[in-house]
Amino acid sequence: SYGFSHNENLGFSIFLERRCKWVWFIRHAEAEHNLAEREHELGTKYLLEEHSGWKYWDAALTQRGKHQCNKLRRELEEMERYLDWELCVVSPLTRTLQTARLTVGAVRHEGEPIKFLATEMCRERVTLCPADSRRNKSVLQKEFPEVDFSQVKDEFDIAWRDDKEDDEACKQRGIRFLQWLAKRRESCITVVTHSGFLKRLFEQFGMGIASEDMEELHRRPANCEMRGLVLCAHRQFEGGATADLVMMPMDDEMGGSWG
């Protein structure tokens, strides 16, 4: 697993400031497929095409999900000293795009508006469920004009059609995503993504930290939960090179809302 080593007797680690990024991960709010999964007797299996067809393809937020977004937006507005995000990275599925718009995008703040960038690197694990497939890029671009879709390569969701992922493939994509973040110039970033992706990403880290912090890091996030972390690179990233990575949970004072 990935993680950082430290002297347990000291109880802390130090990193050069220029190697660190503040990253806030937000799971999307409740979507239609979450409600269906919770209420149907088949649970997650109900979302398979053989049971529900394409009813939940690229599922949108429920009314409850929109209320969750409003709640998080209010919490974000009360955290004004931390709202210096330079970039919002978002999965190109409707539920994450809506969540980004209704939370980060709806917060009143001074200065330049935050940039929104869609990338499939932080999409949900690619499964057999149509809910984990996105609509066409051109449709999403029209519906979410504030988002830059230049990082989304294909018009159609080729990945869902051709590249289903097991846990290991999703974990490795998560590591590539963190490496991509580490190479970016922005130092304060928010990421709007999915619980399955986050669970597989986070469980690769934190093996050397206090057990209560590890449990907090590894816990599956709830709908519209925000989790603040510090991403630290052990050395300079250049081009496509890889480097050791560290993720550390922020404390309550520095990390904002956890649900």
Side-chain angles (χ1 to χ4, degrees):
S1 67
Y2 297 87
F4 66 93
S5 60
H6 67 289
N7 186 324
E8 189 171 353
N9 293 327
L10 295 177
F12 61 85
S13 299
I14 63 172
F15 298 90
L16 291 172
E17 182 273 337
R18 69 176 184 272
R19 299 282 193 245
C20 300
K21 296 181 184 294
W22 300 75
V23 186
W24 285 259
F25 292 89
I26 301 174
R27 181 193 175 190
H28 66 81
E30 182 189 77
E32 294 167 351
H33 72 297
N34 297 135
L35 178 61
E37 179 182 14
R38 186 171 66 246
E39 293 190 344
H40 199 279
E41 62 182 6
L42 290 177
T44 302
K45 290 182 179 180
Y46 178 61
L47 300 179
L48 294 172
E49 185 178 357
E50 62 190 88
H51 296 299
S52 55
W54 285 75
K55 181 178 180 180
Y56 300 106
W57 177 42
D58 197 11
L61 298 183
T62 63
Q63 280 302 120
R64 182 186 181 192
K66 293 176 181 178
H67 290 314
Q68 291 171 340
C69 289
N70 288 334
K71 179 177 182 293
L72 179 57
R73 174 189 55 78
R74 291 192 297 269
E75 293 175 358
L76 294 176
E77 289 180 334
E78 295 172 359
M79 302 170 48
E80 289 186 4
R81 65 193 180 108
Y82 298 121
L83 291 180
D84 54 357
W85 294 326
E86 303 158 82
L87 177 68
C88 178
V89 180
V90 57
S91 160
L93 273 72
T94 296
R95 56 189 181 269
T96 42
L97 292 162
Q98 287 181 310
T99 300
R101 170 184 283 176
L102 295 174
T103 56
V104 179
V107 173
R108 297 184 299 272
H109 60 88
E110 298 179 357
E112 293 293 322
I114 189 170
K115 294 177 294 183
F116 291 84
L117 179 63
T119 174
E120 303 207 85
M121 293 183 71
C122 64
R123 67 181 292 168
E124 183 59 291
R125 183 171 74 91
V126 183
T127 71
L128 293 171
C129 296
D132 294 330
S133 176
R134 64 168 172 84
R135 292 176 293 163
N136 290 352
K137 176 180 174 179
S138 58
V139 173
L140 295 171
Q141 285 177 310
K142 184 175 180 180
E143 190 169 329
F144 300 94
E146 71 273 28
V147 178
D148 178 355
F149 285 88
S150 61
Q151 296 279 328
V152 179
K153 177 182 176 182
D154 299 308
E155 166 69 5
F156 305 104
D157 194 354
I158 303 300
W160 189 85
R161 187 190 70 185
D162 297 339
D163 299 317
K164 301 299 189 292
E165 292 179 314
D166 58 17
D167 283 355
E168 185 58 30
C170 186
K171 287 179 178 180
Q172 291 305 311
R173 173 163 59 86
I175 295 301
R176 293 194 297 273
F177 175 64
L178 290 184
Q179 292 170 338
W180 178 79
L181 284 181
K183 287 186 285 188
R184 294 195 62 86
R185 62 175 179 80
E186 299 90 356
S187 59
C188 295
I189 301 170
T190 182
V191 177
V192 184
T193 182
H194 307 264
S195 65
F197 174 76
L198 287 177
K199 183 178 186 300
R200 290 167 179 84
L201 174 62
F202 290 158
E203 68 185 14
Q204 301 178 80
F205 293 87
M207 303 309 177
I209 61 178
S211 59
E212 60 269 24
D213 289 352
M214 183 176 69
E215 291 173 5
E216 188 174 7
L217 180 64
H218 290 180
R219 177 177 55 80
R220 194 181 191 97
N223 284 123
C224 217
E225 177 180 347
M226 184 171 74
R227 190 168 298 185
L229 300 169
V230 179
L231 174 64
C232 304
H234 291 175
R235 54 185 177 270
Q236 180 66 40
F237 279 80
E238 295 181 1
T242 60
D244 298 331
L245 292 166
V246 171
M247 287 204 304
M248 299 184 297
M250 300 177 192
D251 60 28
D252 290 340
E253 182 179 350
M254 302 179 72
S257 170
W258 279 75

